[in-house]
Amino acid sequence: MAGHNLMAPRRALAVGFLRSLTAGLALSTRPSRAQMAGSGSKTLVAYFSRTGNTRVIAGQIRRARDADLFEIRPAEPYPEDYEETVAQARQERDAGHEPPLAGAVPGIGAYDTVFLGMPIWGGTAPPVIRSFLSAHDLTGKTLVPFITHGGYGRGQSVQVIQSRAPRSEVLQGFTLEADQERRTLETVTRWLRDIPPSR
């Protein structure tokens, strides 16, 4: 029992250290409003990413351009389930719904260039991108889209940007096919067809 009593404080200390380290790492992945507002950068990288593909590109652009980083997030997160997210996004698209955002970019007027990242959902920009464009005055700014998709190209996404930010200069941007989640689901579905169901 004496050995147990000696180890307990050490375990508690180790657990506390790991928790603080994990919390610190989690906080470091998303810049605070104060960090963004005070950086002095004229370039912003704003992105929405569900699976992480667009997030990776956003991070690379941020490092290459010494830019500020802002993750576009809906106030109410999309479902974890892929098919449920697809269904919800389709309903929002068809209804023209713009979901409320979890936050806005502080001091958007300070930026000259905005790299805007998104996946393609249902052949167009996700509803949260429409929300972002409606919530921020991008007049006179250069917008540079970077887009990930699952094999169908960028769809109507650029037209959405141009229509929602008509007083901005929208450059050609970057497009990359990167949709492992959909392909994984399709591959597993094909595989399961060969597995007999339970009796």
Side-chain angles (χ1 to χ4, degrees), residues 51-182:
T51 62
N53 293 324
T54 310
R55 182 179 293 110
V56 170
I57 300 170
Q60 186 172 353
I61 297 169
R62 182 197 64 78
R63 289 188 298 272
R65 295 299 178 97
D66 195 24
D68 289 340
L69 189 66
F70 180 82
E71 181 177 3
I72 302 167
R73 291 180 293 141
E76 183 69 29
Y78 283 101
E80 290 291 331
D81 183 81
Y82 174 80
E83 296 295 345
E84 290 177 12
T85 296
V86 169
Q88 181 177 328
R90 185 181 299 117
Q91 291 173 352
E92 291 176 345
R93 179 200 64 195
D94 294 346
H97 176 64
E98 296 182 3
L101 299 176
V105 177
I108 188 72
Y111 299 104
D112 296 330
T113 302
V114 177
F115 286 85
L116 183 60
M118 72 196 80
I120 295 299
W121 284 8
T124 189
V128 289
I129 294 296
R130 296 198 306 265
S131 300
F132 176 84
L133 292 168
S134 295
H136 296 87
D137 182 5
L138 302 173
T139 300
K141 301 186 187 308
T142 299
L143 294 184
V144 190
F146 58 100
I147 296 164
T148 59
H149 65 88
Y152 305 107
R154 60 188 187 178
Q156 299 297 312
S157 58
V158 175
Q159 289 90 326
V160 168
I161 297 171
Q162 291 170 334
S163 66
R164 299 297 172 112
R167 294 185 297 278
S168 301
E169 180 185 5
V170 182
L171 301 187
Q172 181 69 18
F174 173 78
T175 306
L176 177 69
E177 182 177 347
D179 190 4
Q180 292 91 339
E181 186 173 23
R182 180 182 61 83

Side-chain angles (χ1 to χ4, degrees), residues 22-67:
T22 303
L25 287 172
L27 289 172
S28 69
T29 60
R30 286 188 183 143
S32 71
R33 289 174 177 248
Q35 287 173 324
M36 288 186 58
S39 74
S41 177
K42 293 293 185 181
T43 302
L44 174 69
V45 180
Y47 73 95
F48 170 67
S49 183
R50 181 177 183 275
T51 62
N53 293 324
T54 310
R55 182 179 293 110
V56 170
I57 300 170
Q60 186 172 353
I61 297 169
R62 182 197 64 78
R63 289 188 298 272
R65 295 299 178 97
D66 195 24

